[in-house]
């Protein structure tokens, strides 16, 4: 039962974080940040978000910028989901490099 609630909240947070990043990166031309997956802890206090950043060369720079602005992002997330959640979870961001990994495997297989 708890797992179902975790999944529903994770999907909600993923959707809202995607909208936040979409609106914030609209001003920066040539950069796209998408939320590929969100995981929520069983007590719903921590949300781990995996981000796909394009272009991947700027992923470290963008992740540092996102981590510096984590409180602002959490506040904006709170204003969007305050009617659905009692406690806004702490946010943790990681780069999802699975697409780069797949490209590398593809290149190796072609050789």
């Amino acid at each position: 039962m708890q797992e179902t609630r975790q999944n529903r909240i994770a999907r909600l947070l993923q959707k809202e974080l995607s909208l936040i990043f979409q609106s914030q990166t609209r001003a920066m031309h040539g950069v796209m940040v998408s939320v590929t997956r969100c995981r929520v802890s069983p007590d719903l206090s921590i949300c781990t978000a995996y981000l796909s950043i394009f272009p991947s060369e700027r992923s470290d720079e963008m992740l540092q910028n996102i981590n510096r602005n984590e409180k602002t992002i959490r506040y904006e997330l709170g204003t969007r989901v305050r009617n659905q959640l009692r406690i806004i979870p702490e946010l943790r961001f990681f780069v999802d490099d699975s697409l780069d990994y797949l490209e590398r495997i593809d290149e190796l297989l072609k050789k």
Side-chain angles (χ1 to χ4, degrees):
M1 187 66 179
Q2 181 68 17
E3 210 169 285
T4 306
R5 179 158 170 77
Q6 277 179 263
N7 291 336
R8 275 196 352 243
I9 290 175
R11 283 194 309 268
L12 172 70
L13 294 176
Q14 179 180 359
K15 178 183 166 209
E16 294 300 332
L17 283 171
S18 294
L19 293 173
I20 290 170
F21 286 129
Q22 183 181 18
S23 66
Q24 288 183 351
T25 58
R26 188 169 288 146
M28 300 184 328
H29 299 288
V31 176
M32 187 174 79
V33 177
S34 59
V35 182
T36 57
R37 184 176 60 206
C38 278
R39 299 241 169 127
V40 180
S41 64
D43 62 349
L44 308 177
S45 65
I46 299 172
C47 173
T48 305
Y50 295 92
L51 307 176
S52 178
I53 300 172
F54 179 80
S56 59
E57 296 84 35
R58 296 185 62 190
S59 62
D60 293 332
E61 170 194 344
M62 290 297 296
L63 187 64
Q64 288 175 355
N65 189 16
I66 289 168
N67 284 326
R68 275 196 305 267
N69 296 318
E70 184 263 332
K71 289 183 181 181
T72 307
I73 295 168
R74 185 176 179 204
Y75 175 78
E76 191 168 340
L77 180 67
T79 59
R80 290 172 176 253
V81 298
R82 68 174 174 242
N83 295 329
Q84 289 104 348
L85 297 177
R86 191 175 291 179
I87 297 172
I88 307 306
E90 176 186 330
L91 300 174
R92 295 183 182 164
F93 298 104
F94 294 99
V95 174
D96 183 15
D97 56 354
S98 60
L99 291 176
D100 295 334
Y101 182 70
L102 287 174
E103 275 183 29
R104 178 150 163 63
I105 289 176
D106 234 9
E107 287 176 15
L108 291 173
L109 288 175
K110 286 180 182 177
K111 290 180 182 179

